[in-house]
Amino acid sequence: MKILYPLIAAILLFSMISCNKKAEKKGEELKETSEKVVPELKISIDSVGITAFYKRYPKVVKFQDQVLALYKKNNSTQLWLDNKGVVEFANTLFNKYKGLEQEGLKANFPYNENISSIFEHIPENKLAKADTDLMITNLYFYYVQKVSGVDEKTTKSLEWLLPRKKVNYQVFSDSIFKKSTISDDKKSKMFSQYYKLRDALQQYREIEKKGGWKTIEVGEGFKSLKKGDSVAAIGQIRERLFLTGDLKENSKSNVCDSTLISGIKNFESHHGLTPKNIILPEHIAELNIPVSDRIKTIIVNMERCRWIDPELEKGKEFIEVNIPEFKLYLIRNHEIVFVSPVVVGKAMTKTVVFSGMMNNIVFSPYWNIPPSIIKSEIKPGMAKNKNYLAQKNLEWNNGAVRQLPGKNNSLGLVKFLFPNSNNIYLHDTPAKSLFERENRAFSHGCVRVGKPRELAIELLKQDPSMTPEKIDRAMHAGKESWYTLKKKIPVYIGYFTAWVDRNGNLNFYKDVYKRDDSLIKLLTEE
């Protein structure tokens, strides 16, 4: 019996192991059978079905061509659904769509209720599976269009002629299969200023949520406040400056002290105002612009950033002019190496927003007067005064009129050419006093440079033969001479009324050409 017990135990153990193995094998067979029973979900979405979809949902018909091409590429089957329902990538897309407000955009997809019912598990979702997939696809192209900015035809109508960032719908279509574009937020995708303004937008929306800032009340007849003055408005000014970081601390004092004057100077430097040691009505007017209006300005300029190809700022050397700021910057190796005030076109003769390649510097230039100015100014002047041409240092030249070189020439002593159909260039001017003004929109369209000699020296630094002394002689020679740049330099003339500088400060500038209102209306219309 002692021998029999171990034998029985061994037989039982073997039987249990065999049964377990058979059970495992049977389980695997059942699993395999189960997987075979539930085939991969395939929903037919062909051109006929797509055409019918747009008859039911005509407000997104503009995406039809892209949608047809996309489903054809996917063998006329669904993109966003599997056996478990909506794929995770679709949920990411919907969350990005719901977050458009953070990008300064309205999340107003034409069929918002339908798309929300898909992702928010609303019982009212009665869309067929094919329509569900098509609705998500249309949301995708809607999102892509939104974050890419208004179309090029519209920007041209807004007089924006800088190179546009191209929207390649084929690339976006491919990204659906890679499931990457929506979830990634790499800053290389957008002009870097966009992300800085987006951060500023969040900051100003937080201020708005907390009630914004109160109107500073100074009363009628207000002229100024200076150091030592004591009125209730000073405490209001102090609180307002503290909210936007122009003052680091709020002492709540109603006495105008050096700290408050320093805060006003910070505010002036961030709003295109000339620094002063007193508080004037113009400061109060700027301080009282509601936070809601400042938010609109940020949103408008974020939109302008969407139009700019991020490759532009990667150049080794280029010149940029911001019209509302009245400033020119020379960028080299991603650093600002030169800054100059500029005078831009009047409202009636706006400086065009465009780009060109600078190829020549002209010293002691003639001014070949445009036909429009000959008609509006020269001929009426000649009709009144027979010595008009001589007195203005003008002469006829092959049926046109030009001004002779010299210090009184309207182009000054040097001009910088980048050929373009708008006949716009950078140049010197004898009217130096204009650069001291805050609003510097006075020209016929060209850009007058406050420091033209210094710009020429900086641009020609890499040519040892063009010393500052030689440049001076050429500028004062009284005889026109041309210098061809060994390497062309891109020039970008832009229009930004809000801009975050390299120190992280948000700056606001006056909308000199009144372009912001029409753009914000375009962005917010349903």
Side-chain angles (χ1 to χ4, degrees):
M1 288 294 292
K2 289 182 179 179
I3 296 172
L4 186 59
Y5 286 137
L7 180 62
I8 293 169
I11 292 169
L12 286 170
L13 179 63
F14 177 78
S15 299
M16 288 170 67
I17 292 170
S18 295
C19 287
N20 285 339
K21 284 186 176 179
K22 286 177 182 178
E24 287 174 9
K25 187 174 181 181
K26 189 172 183 179
E28 288 173 3
E29 288 173 355
L30 285 170
K31 185 180 178 183
E32 288 175 6
T33 304
S34 175
E35 287 176 349
K36 289 175 183 175
V37 169
V38 183
E40 181 184 352
L41 180 67
K42 284 198 174 183
I43 304 167
S44 177
I45 304 177
D46 56 16
S47 59
V48 174
I50 292 171
T51 301
F53 173 86
Y54 285 111
K55 286 181 179 178
R56 293 190 294 275
Y57 304 100
K59 293 178 182 178
V60 287
V61 72
K62 61 183 175 181
F63 302 125
Q64 184 168 353
D65 290 343
Q66 286 84 21
V67 170
L68 280 165
L70 187 58
Y71 281 97
K72 184 178 180 181
K73 188 174 181 179
N74 202 45
N75 300 317
S76 298
T77 58
Q78 83 282 359
L79 294 160
W80 308 95
L81 302 174
D82 61 15
N83 292 315
K84 297 177 182 178
V86 177
V87 299
E88 186 59 33
F89 185 52
N91 285 291
T92 303
L93 166 63
F94 182 70
N95 289 333
K96 283 286 183 180
Y97 160 68
K98 296 294 282 185
L100 279 175
E101 197 76 22
Q102 296 176 355
E103 310 295 326
L105 297 166
K106 290 282 186 183
N108 53 359
F109 183 64
Y111 299 102
N112 188 64
E113 289 185 12
N114 299 89
I115 204 71
S116 295
S117 68
I118 295 170
F119 294 96
E120 295 174 355
H121 308 295
I122 298 172
E124 287 76 12
N125 177 26
K126 296 177 181 178
L127 290 175
K129 287 185 176 180
D131 281 2
T132 297
D133 205 79
L134 281 163
M135 192 65 75
I136 299 172
T137 302
N138 280 273
L139 176 69
Y140 183 86
F141 283 108
Y142 169 87
Y143 176 85
V144 168
Q145 184 189 68
K146 275 281 188 179
V147 297
S148 301
V150 297
D151 61 82
E152 190 166 359
K153 183 179 178 181
T154 303
T155 56
K156 283 183 177 179
S157 72
L158 295 171
E159 301 178 78
W160 183 279
L161 303 177
L162 279 173
R164 275 294 303 260
K165 183 174 70 171
K166 299 297 181 185
V167 180
N168 189 330
Y169 280 106
Q170 184 60 49
V171 171
F172 283 113
S173 297
D174 292 343
S175 74
I176 293 177
F177 300 108
K178 295 175 185 175
K179 295 178 171 52
S180 61
T181 299
I182 292 295
S183 56
D184 289 349
D185 192 21
K186 296 176 182 175
K187 294 192 174 183
S188 60
K189 289 181 184 176
M190 299 285 280
F191 181 51
S192 63
Q193 183 64 204
Y194 176 85
Y195 299 98
K196 295 175 182 178
L197 287 173
R198 187 174 67 178
D199 291 342
L201 176 63
Q202 303 315 312
Q203 177 193 349
Y204 272 64
R205 279 183 169 161
E206 283 300 314
I207 293 173
E208 186 179 44
K209 283 179 185 176
K210 294 175 182 177
W213 47 71
K214 298 175 183 176
T215 300
I216 298 164
E217 298 174 356
V218 291
E220 291 183 17
F222 169 74
K223 292 184 178 179
S224 68
L225 290 169
K226 61 183 183 300
K227 190 175 177 181
D229 288 347
S230 178
V231 292
I234 289 172
Q236 296 170 4
I237 294 168
R238 200 182 292 276
E239 182 180 353
R240 167 67 181 81
L241 293 173
F242 177 69
L243 278 173
T244 48
D246 295 295
L247 269 181
K248 299 304 177 188
E249 294 181 0
N250 182 8
S251 68
K252 300 186 178 181
S253 169
N254 286 340
V255 178
C256 183
D257 54 19
S258 57
T259 301
L260 185 66
I261 293 297
S262 177
I264 280 291
K265 286 184 176 179
N266 286 335
F267 183 85
E268 288 171 321
S269 68
H270 302 150
H271 292 78
L273 300 171
T274 304
K276 304 171 185 72
N277 289 314
I278 58 176
I279 300 171
L280 297 169
E282 64 192 61
H283 298 124
I284 304 301
E286 285 288 326
L287 289 163
N288 280 341
I289 292 174
V291 66
S292 57
D293 287 356
R294 293 302 191 192
I295 286 172
K296 288 176 183 177
T297 301
I298 295 170
I299 288 172
V300 160
N301 287 279
M302 286 175 68
E303 175 65 19
R304 290 180 177 129
C305 288
R306 291 185 186 97
W307 309 340
I308 295 181
D309 190 334
E311 292 299 314
L312 297 186
E313 61 185 329
K314 295 178 183 178
K316 289 187 176 181
E317 185 175 38
F318 58 90
I319 288 171
E320 61 184 30
V321 174
N322 185 17
I323 294 170
E325 187 184 2
F326 307 117
K327 277 190 179 179
L328 172 151
Y329 297 88
L330 174 59
I331 314 297
R332 187 178 291 138
N333 296 322
H334 311 294
E335 297 293 332
I336 297 172
V337 297
F338 177 81
V339 183
S340 174
V342 297
V343 169
V344 300
K346 295 177 286 189
M348 295 298 292
T349 53
K350 299 180 182 73
T351 298
V352 181
V353 177
F354 79 114
S355 66
M357 298 295 289
M358 184 184 293
N359 58 357
N360 286 295
I361 300 176
V362 183
F363 299 105
S364 295
Y366 285 100
W367 179 33
N368 297 300
I369 300 175
S372 59
I373 298 178
I374 293 174
K375 181 181 179 181
S376 63
E377 297 181 25
I378 305 298
K379 286 185 176 180
M382 290 173 64
K384 294 177 183 178
N385 179 3
K386 64 179 181 179
N387 295 319
Y388 182 86
L389 290 182
Q391 290 174 0
K392 297 289 185 180
N393 208 26
L394 302 171
E395 67 176 13
W396 285 103
N397 179 48
N398 296 324
V401 179
R402 68 182 183 181
Q403 190 173 31
L404 298 170
K407 63 180 183 179
N408 295 321
N409 186 287
S410 293
L411 303 185
L413 301 175
V414 61
K415 67 178 179 179
F416 307 84
L417 300 181
F418 42 106
N420 60 85
S421 59
N422 303 296
N423 197 30
I424 287 177
Y425 43 87
L426 309 177
H427 66 85
D428 181 19
T429 176
K432 303 295 185 184
S433 63
L434 294 179
F435 294 105
E436 297 172 8
R437 301 194 185 186
E438 288 177 352
N439 187 324
R440 296 194 289 274
F442 295 105
S443 81
H444 288 95
C446 286
V447 178
R448 304 177 190 175
V449 182
K451 298 190 282 186
R453 173 182 178 271
E454 293 84 348
L455 177 58
I457 290 171
E458 189 63 45
L459 291 173
L460 299 177
K461 257 186 179 179
Q462 296 175 344
D463 185 348
S465 69
M466 292 302 292
T467 62
E469 294 75 19
K470 187 172 181 180
I471 289 171
D472 285 337
R473 287 197 297 273
M475 287 176 66
H476 293 88
K479 180 181 178 182
E480 187 176 86
S481 62
W482 288 53
Y483 178 93
T484 301
L485 294 171
K486 292 177 171 54
K487 188 175 181 181
K488 294 179 181 179
I489 300 172
V491 178
Y492 304 114
I493 299 178
Y495 193 93
F496 291 92
T497 51
W499 186 268
V500 178
D501 61 32
R502 296 189 175 214
N503 295 318
N505 298 311
L506 175 62
N507 299 271
F508 291 103
Y509 306 109
K510 284 187 171 61
D511 183 13
V512 288
Y513 295 159
K514 308 300 179 191
R515 289 177 166 168
D516 284 3
D517 286 348
S518 57
L519 184 50
I520 195 68
K521 184 178 179 182
L522 184 67
L523 293 174
T524 55
E525 65 186 9
E526 296 297 326

